[in-house]
Amino acid sequence: MNAISTRHHSTTAIVLRLVDFSETSLVVTLLTRDLGRISALAKGARRLKGPFEGSLDLLSVCRVTLIAKPGDTLDLLTESKLRRRFRGGERSLSRTYAGYYIAETLRWWLDDAERHEAVFDLTLSALALIDGNGPIPETLLAFDCQCLRLLGHAPTTEVCCVCGQKMGHKLASQTGHIAFSVEGGGVVCANCRPRQTSLALLSKPAVGALQELVQPLGNSADSQPTSGAGEQRYDFPLSSLLPRVPETSYPELRGLISRYMQTLLGRSLRMQPYLPTTMR
């Protein structure tokens, strides 16, 4: 039996979901840096004077202690100390929706107990922007594109997703819109285009912006680990991506990425209709 399933474990976590379990308890879905996404039973969390000191709010960042259980049994959450509460909802409804969208996206993208330290730190960066003064449309678009890259689903922008032909010089010389296969996950050359279905058409500036959005970030987990508070962590300068999306290209990219994610997940996200359609 894995040792981690038989002892107390302390880690930093983001609260993704809260479900009533009984009159006094909750089932909490957490995204953790070193254990991945987990579900745990928080006994007494619904009491006014419960053992978790009011820390278990949606999208709050906490330091939690839990007992991992073997098999399909829920882990047991024994302690939670609040580090940062999400207060975007106090500022605007759009920031509330943005936070809810991130939480829902992560619940469907990640499997239980899969470690994704980079996704965890990306999420912290995105939530910090939404909870502060960061622009919501660009933050969510950058978050989605970086999640796709980190999870191995980044759309191809430099080669035809059907035949593998390099598209660099063709994109530069091509007039009109460029075909993107939603099912194939990338741009399509002129020769392959007639045989493809589920195509979206993108302007050249939109394709250029997409190329930048799916690139590894300057200090991302791909290259620059740092340490702090006893844990390895990664800096995601997510804001460095935001100015690179032309205002006229944003509606194209937002629609494309939403459609592409829906195809990959095999479902529509409930919060997608509440995403910003423009950068204003």
Side-chain angles (χ1 to χ4, degrees), residues 109-249:
W109 270 137
L110 306 178
D111 293 326
D112 286 338
E114 267 192 15
R115 292 181 59 170
H116 288 289
E117 294 98 331
V119 173
F120 179 91
D121 291 310
L122 173 68
T123 303
L124 285 182
S125 296
L127 288 176
L129 286 171
I130 292 170
D131 206 14
N133 297 315
I136 298 170
E138 299 97 309
T139 298
L140 293 181
L141 183 61
F143 173 80
D144 283 341
C145 289
Q146 287 297 309
C147 267
L148 288 169
R149 179 183 69 82
L150 291 168
L151 297 174
H153 300 297
T156 61
T157 58
E158 298 181 357
V159 299
C160 173
C161 68
V162 179
C163 67
Q165 183 182 27
K166 291 185 178 180
M167 296 281 287
H169 67 285
K170 293 181 178 294
L171 292 178
S173 61
Q174 186 170 331
T175 59
H177 285 75
I178 298 161
F180 183 99
S181 172
V182 177
E183 293 183 352
V187 294
V188 178
C189 69
N191 292 333
C192 296
R193 179 172 173 174
R195 300 188 298 274
Q196 302 306 306
T197 59
S198 300
L199 291 178
L201 297 179
L202 294 177
S203 64
K204 288 173 64 176
V207 174
L210 182 60
Q211 287 176 334
E212 293 189 359
L213 284 165
V214 298
Q215 291 300 310
L217 302 181
N219 268 342
S220 75
D222 300 299
S223 57
Q224 299 290 333
T226 60
S227 60
E231 294 180 330
Q232 188 179 57
R233 64 178 301 278
Y234 303 90
D235 293 323
F236 268 87
L238 191 62
S239 58
S240 67
L241 283 176
L242 307 185
R244 301 176 185 171
V245 181
E247 186 172 344
T248 55
S249 299

Side-chain angles (χ1 to χ4, degrees), residues 70-87:
D72 296 330
T73 306
L74 284 172
D75 295 337
L76 182 63
L77 191 65
T78 60
E79 186 179 12
S80 177
K81 299 292 186 182
L82 182 66
R83 284 193 167 180
R84 190 179 75 202
R85 197 181 303 278
F86 181 75
R87 299 189 181 277

